[in-house]
Amino acid sequence: LFWGGTELLRFPPRRRFPTVELRAETFNGSTHVPVPSDSAFLKALLSELRLVDEHVFLEHRDTCTRINHSCVYSVSGAAGELWPVLAFHKSGLIYACVPLVEGTLEPRPPLLTVSGLSQGLALLLGIMDYVSPSRKNEAELSAKVGQLRNRLIQACPLGTPLNTNIRSLNSSFEDIQEMPADKEQPAWRSSSYKGKPQVNVCITEKVKCMQYDQRDVVDTWQVYGAVNCKCDIEGSAPNVTLSLSLPTNAPPLQDIVVHHCVTSVDPAMLMSTSAEPLHDSVYNGPYKFPFIPPSDSFDLCYYTSQVPVPPILGCYQLVEEGAQIKITVNLKLHESIKNSFEYCEARIPFFNRGPIAQLEYKVSYGQLDLSREKSLLVWVIGQKFPKSLEVSLTGTVSFGTAGKEHPTDYVCTGSTAYVKLYFRIPDFTLTGCYVDQHSVQIFVPGKPKITASRELISSSYYIWNSKAPAPMVYKPLLD
């Protein structure tokens, strides 16, 4: 595993697993390509990610036959092409790993058949979740980097990820039990709890959306959720049962993936998939999860659902008129959505142009701010939509001379542009999914304290300019 940042390129935090490299050599046979030295790998990876030599044409990287639609790369080395390399660049940091392929590499197997890719991605996202909150505090970031090695030893001691929730792991080995004191205690309960029993449950749903407002292009949206639990309960192997509930006539939960601590579930629950159209035989619950909880916070399950409408419908129009452009943005909150936001804003970037030199605008609600680099308009709608549930923005923008510091994008050229929405609605889920506190069963003495919460968060929520061709694929999948 390799991980580093732009300011840590000389000595990036990294971890190699000789056991995995030996297994790779055995599985791959004559097609095996060894992992190069740290410096050689990093140099090749930066080139592949276009973080160096960006304006230089490299045939092995920039040829039209190698258009990459995923985060999986092939990195050139002295011994040949190292594949697969899972990598992405986020907030000035690079997260990368080389997953194990249990078989020959020629011909290259389909990505969906390489189980190590999903394991590696889960681990990298866990590291990102652990590191990102400290990104702007250098002292805190350095401290977390120093703890990362010990956490990785716990997360994947021999190279196979056992726990991808890096935040929940210990930063030292003091509290880690080599063997459970009780033979009935499962291995994932690394420590015992003493005190009043309490359970905290949080359902977090994220909604992705692509809206085009065009007759020949279909809008798409997707909601996916995670149920996070923290169970402070005495005992070596306490039994807990948690139930997820849905309102009447709500769309069912699908693509359910459960944590390994879940002891049993109805097989029909796991077979319900969004790949098939909804029909009468789809599993509609009850969604009961009996489990023996780990000692720390963990995600009990993940799910998706085919909700009928996105929470906010939008229309964006950008028209160029000489040296100026005219923009119109209309947003409407669906009547079924809770009109109470922690925050709600629309960001309107202007790529491949100079700084905004002149701006005239009118907003029906909220306020419009101009970013410091003068290339982004931020429309702060606030914590509520008006009674009409509709807001609008119209404006005329002109630009100065473009410089290297202004944002560029190879997709958003000309009038191809978008508005991106950011919002969070507390105590609400798009599916209506909730945890009934009275349904939580804990088989331990005493009356436990149950706390349940839920939230809906936007994720890659785009509204494209309806006056321009609609791009079908857009690159920032991890934004």
Side-chain angles (χ1 to χ4, degrees):
L1 171 76
F2 297 80
W3 171 83
T6 52
E7 74 277 11
L8 300 169
L9 295 183
R10 300 181 69 184
F11 305 101
R14 57 198 178 271
R15 181 80 199 280
R16 299 183 73 130
F17 298 96
T19 53
V20 178
E21 295 187 52
L22 181 60
R23 290 175 64 199
E25 188 174 354
T26 303
F27 278 120
N28 304 156
S30 60
T31 62
H32 177 68
V33 177
V35 179
S37 65
D38 295 346
S39 58
F41 175 86
L42 185 58
K43 182 178 179 181
L45 179 61
L46 291 175
S47 176
E48 186 66 27
L49 295 176
R50 292 180 172 84
L51 297 177
V52 296
D53 299 327
E54 180 183 0
H55 302 292
V56 178
F57 178 81
L58 301 176
E59 185 173 357
H60 74 277
R61 181 191 69 184
D62 301 318
T63 177
C64 292
T65 59
R66 280 201 58 193
I67 299 177
N68 206 331
H69 297 296
S70 70
C71 296
V72 181
Y73 298 90
S74 177
V75 174
S76 299
E81 294 281 328
L82 182 64
W83 181 93
V85 176
L86 183 61
F88 57 88
H89 183 227
K90 181 72 174 179
S91 302
L93 297 176
I94 303 166
Y95 302 84
C97 67
V98 183
L100 173 67
V101 178
E102 297 182 345
T104 182
L105 297 175
E106 293 182 6
R108 288 183 179 175
L111 295 182
L112 290 176
T113 65
V114 182
S115 60
L117 285 173
S118 59
Q119 295 175 350
L121 180 60
L123 182 62
L124 292 181
L125 292 177
I127 295 174
M128 184 179 72
D129 180 60
Y130 167 68
V131 171
S132 292
S134 306
R135 181 63 187 86
K136 296 182 180 180
N137 187 321
E138 295 298 331
E140 189 175 338
L141 178 62
S142 298
K144 285 197 172 183
V145 169
Q147 299 171 0
L148 187 58
R149 181 176 178 81
N150 287 345
R151 291 177 183 260
L152 285 177
I153 292 175
Q154 302 168 56
C156 41
L158 296 176
T160 300
L162 303 179
N163 188 347
T164 57
N165 188 353
I166 306 300
R167 285 194 301 174
S168 69
L169 300 174
N170 297 297
S171 60
S172 67
F173 298 117
E174 296 177 358
D175 299 326
I176 300 177
Q177 300 176 8
E178 294 185 3
M179 290 293 292
D182 192 321
K183 291 183 179 181
E184 295 182 356
Q185 181 175 337
W188 58 82
R189 284 187 65 81
S190 59
S191 60
S192 58
Y193 171 79
K194 298 293 184 182
K196 185 177 180 180
Q198 53 186 354
V199 175
N200 293 297
V201 185
C202 179
I203 301 176
T204 298
E205 287 188 356
K206 295 185 178 181
V207 56
K208 283 187 173 183
C209 192
M210 290 279 183
Q211 297 183 37
Y212 303 98
D213 192 35
Q214 297 186 15
R215 289 184 178 181
D216 58 339
V217 184
V218 178
D219 294 346
T220 61
W221 58 90
Q222 178 188 19
V223 60
Y224 51 101
V227 181
N228 184 268
C229 299
K230 180 67 167 70
C231 302
D232 294 325
I233 306 172
E234 292 187 0
S236 58
N239 289 295
V240 180
T241 298
L242 184 146
S243 297
L244 299 181
S245 301
L246 293 174
T248 306
N249 299 325
L253 304 184
Q254 296 176 292
D255 304 319
I256 298 175
V257 179
V258 300
H259 192 274
H260 58 75
C261 72
V262 176
T263 54
S264 66
V265 292
D266 189 325
M269 182 192 303
L270 304 182
M271 294 298 290
S272 180
T273 170
S274 58
E276 298 291 337
L278 294 178
H279 50 79
D280 293 339
S281 62
V282 71
Y283 188 86
N284 288 293
Y287 303 95
K288 288 189 176 182
F289 300 90
F291 59 95
I292 300 175
S295 305
D296 297 299
S297 174
F298 71 102
D299 289 326
L300 177 66
C301 70
Y302 303 93
Y303 62 85
T304 66
S305 182
Q306 300 182 48
V307 295
V309 292
I312 299 177
L313 294 171
C315 174
Y316 178 37
Q317 295 183 350
L318 180 151
V319 179
E320 297 196 42
E321 296 183 355
Q324 294 182 333
I325 65 170
K326 289 188 175 181
I327 61 171
T328 302
V329 185
N330 295 308
L331 302 176
K332 181 177 181 180
L333 181 68
H334 194 270
E335 58 187 11
S336 65
I337 306 303
K338 181 182 178 181
N339 190 10
S340 178
F341 294 78
E342 179 179 310
Y343 58 85
C344 181
E345 65 182 41
R347 299 184 184 180
I348 311 171
F350 296 99
F351 298 105
N352 311 308
R353 304 175 188 270
I356 295 175
Q358 186 174 357
L359 171 64
E360 296 179 2
Y361 68 91
K362 179 181 180 181
V363 291
S364 66
Y365 195 78
Q367 66 181 46
L368 189 68
D369 297 325
L370 178 62
S371 66
R372 181 180 299 177
E373 63 276 11
K374 297 184 177 180
S375 60
L376 175 71
L377 296 180
V378 181
W379 182 12
V380 180
I381 298 169
Q383 296 180 324
K384 271 186 177 293
F385 274 65
K387 289 184 178 181
S388 64
L389 302 182
E390 297 184 32
V391 294
S392 63
L393 160 67
T394 57
T396 303
V397 186
S398 58
F399 301 90
T401 304
K404 292 183 179 180
E405 70 277 8
H406 293 282
T408 60
D409 193 291
Y410 297 108
V411 174
C412 299
T413 58
S415 56
T416 303
Y418 63 77
V419 173
K420 189 173 182 181
L421 299 187
Y422 295 82
F423 58 82
R424 177 182 180 271
I425 306 178
D427 194 28
F428 180 81
T429 51
L430 196 55
T431 62
C433 183
Y434 66 96
V435 174
D436 183 355
Q437 299 183 23
H438 300 291
S439 71
V440 179
Q441 301 177 359
I442 304 177
F443 303 97
V444 293
K447 186 178 181 180
K449 178 183 178 182
I450 311 296
T451 304
S453 61
R454 53 184 185 163
E455 60 182 357
L456 176 67
I457 302 175
S458 63
S459 173
S460 300
Y461 205 106
Y462 293 93
I463 301 171
W464 290 90
N465 178 23
S466 61
K467 296 294 185 179
M472 294 296 99
V473 178
Y474 191 57
K475 63 181 183 179
L477 299 179
L478 290 169
D479 277 4

